[in-house]
Amino acid sequence: MSNSFFQKDIVSVRDFDKQKFETVFQATDKIIGMNQNERREIVRGKTLGYLFFEPSTRTRLSFEAAMASIGGTSLGIADASSSSAKKGESLADTVKIMSLYSDVLVLRHQLDGSSRFAAEISEKPLINAGSGTEEHPTQAILDLYTIRKEKKKIDGLKVGIVGDLKYGRTVYSLLYALSNYNVDVKLISPPSLKIRADSTYEIRKKLQYTETSDLEENLDDLDVIYVTRIQKERFADIEEYVKVRGSYKIGPELVNKIKDDAIIMHPLPRLDEISPEIDSTKQAKYFKQAQYGKDTRAALLALILNENGI
């Protein structure tokens, strides 16, 4: 069977359908099942180049760990202030140079449209690791994989997405991804952080969702509770941030109201929206989610870099 991911860019989760997700999930399962020696032969001799113009801990380290786990190496820019961008070098030139040194590129940038632009310039396949407030496709892939692994299915579930739905790029990618499945979605946010109508036109065609600001009244029938932080860095007016900061907090009292087999997810980093007391509960899956992030990114890299897949 041909590998449709070979040498392809991963810019938007909108380019995925159910079958493409399933291809990545099966590749992830296969990698997890391999012994270490087998895994380290998958992309031996290949190099990942990363360009992070916005702060990142989990995503960058996850890609580096993923590449190392399948036998590759990584190099790149973890901090724009230490790169030639500080001297005024254009994104286009930086991407061109990095593509000379790498077999696959990973880009995070603060501007909307940056990954699409960079993919057109790069001579090597490029993965969007977050473009402005638009999308974060590999986060959506790992989110779906987490749901599939922990709930044994995606179709038929009730999913609640909580927090900053206006600026959270993980939210838009997750909604686009969920639109490939038969799910019931509740969007729970402060009124000022509701999902942007102009960004959900396409989603609305495929996915029905309801919006509310009341977290407690919607908790008891949810299978998946996906919590996001209020993103201070996205607010032009700090006073607006202060008004909504701490709007929702998942603590022991709320966890007692949710289903016994519900799962709590978070793309991380968290601030105070999930109490550390919840970490030891069986519903808390956000650290496992981060582990699955490494595994799904390893699978994606393997598919992009190997013509015959894994």
Side-chain angles (χ1 to χ4, degrees):
M1 195 172 75
S2 65
N3 170 19
S4 63
F5 286 91
F6 181 59
Q7 294 294 304
K8 292 291 194 297
D9 302 315
I10 308 294
V11 173
S12 172
V13 80
R14 284 175 282 180
D15 299 329
F16 280 69
D17 56 20
K18 209 168 184 176
Q19 183 52 54
K20 282 191 172 181
F21 283 123
E22 196 55 38
T23 298
V24 178
F25 298 159
Q26 288 175 5
T28 306
D29 289 340
K30 191 169 181 180
I31 282 178
I32 290 172
M34 287 178 173
N35 67 48
Q36 201 172 63
N37 290 336
E38 276 183 298
R39 269 202 309 269
R40 287 185 173 162
E41 289 299 313
I42 296 174
V43 297
R44 190 155 62 100
K46 303 284 188 184
T47 301
L48 177 150
Y50 56 83
L51 297 167
F52 278 74
F53 291 91
E54 267 192 330
S56 170
T57 302
R58 264 150 307 279
T59 303
R60 179 174 58 82
L61 292 178
S62 175
F63 269 110
E64 286 193 69
M67 194 65 174
S69 74
I70 53 175
T73 56
S74 302
L75 56 84
I77 298 166
D79 178 4
S81 66
S82 63
S83 75
S84 289
K86 182 134 175 134
K87 302 175 187 173
E89 182 174 60
S90 67
L91 175 62
D93 284 359
T94 305
V95 167
K96 283 177 184 174
I97 294 298
M98 186 58 82
S99 68
L100 297 175
Y101 301 155
S102 316
D103 298 291
V104 59
L105 270 64
V106 175
L107 173 70
R108 170 172 287 189
H109 200 280
Q110 67 272 21
L111 293 179
D112 291 1
S114 52
S115 286
R116 185 77 63 187
F117 169 74
E120 290 173 5
I121 286 161
S122 175
E123 294 182 13
K124 303 292 169 55
L126 182 137
I127 301 172
N128 175 7
S131 54
T133 59
E134 290 179 314
E135 279 202 64
H136 193 349
T138 63
Q139 181 72 46
I141 293 166
L142 77 90
D143 290 341
L144 286 192
Y145 185 77
T146 302
I147 295 169
R148 179 179 175 270
K149 288 291 278 189
E150 296 300 321
K151 296 298 296 177
K152 311 302 180 195
K153 63 177 183 176
I154 299 174
D155 284 317
L157 295 178
K158 294 183 177 180
V159 181
I161 306 177
V162 182
D164 179 358
L165 310 186
K166 182 177 183 180
Y167 299 114
R169 59 191 168 206
T170 61
V171 171
Y172 293 93
S173 286
L174 180 57
L175 286 172
Y176 278 120
L178 287 171
S179 70
N180 290 280
Y181 298 85
N182 177 27
V183 290
D184 178 7
V185 175
K186 282 194 168 66
L187 301 180
I188 305 164
S189 70
S192 63
L193 292 178
K194 286 173 66 174
I195 198 152
R196 302 192 304 270
D198 61 319
S199 299
T200 55
Y201 178 73
E202 291 297 322
I203 295 170
R204 272 284 189 197
K205 292 179 183 176
K206 296 173 67 181
L207 179 73
Q208 291 302 310
Y209 56 80
T210 56
E211 297 181 80
T212 180
S213 57
D214 193 323
L215 174 61
E216 287 197 46
E217 75 170 21
N218 290 282
L219 272 180
D220 57 355
D221 69 337
L222 294 176
D223 301 297
V224 179
I225 301 160
Y226 190 95
V227 185
T228 67
R229 72 183 171 93
I230 309 291
Q231 300 184 79
K232 183 179 180 180
E233 66 272 22
R234 305 281 179 208
F235 284 77
D237 183 350
I238 196 67
E239 290 299 319
E240 292 302 310
Y241 167 73
V242 171
K243 286 178 190 174
V244 294
R245 181 180 61 194
S247 295
Y248 304 112
K249 293 188 179 181
I250 307 289
E253 281 187 32
L254 284 186
V255 170
N256 287 335
K257 296 178 181 179
I258 70 176
K259 283 183 180 180
D260 198 48
D261 64 346
I263 63 172
I264 301 171
M265 298 171 61
H266 194 305
L268 302 175
R270 68 170 162 185
L271 299 179
D272 57 0
E273 57 276 2
I274 299 178
S275 167
E277 295 171 79
I278 306 308
D279 297 355
S280 58
T281 66
K282 63 183 176 183
Q283 290 102 334
K285 300 297 180 186
Y286 29 90
F287 293 118
K288 209 164 185 183
Q289 185 183 348
Q291 171 63 43
Y292 290 143
K294 187 197 86 167
D295 298 328
T296 52
R297 286 171 176 132
L300 201 55
L301 289 166
L303 290 167
I304 290 169
L305 292 171
N306 287 315
E307 189 170 2
N308 298 318
I310 302 170

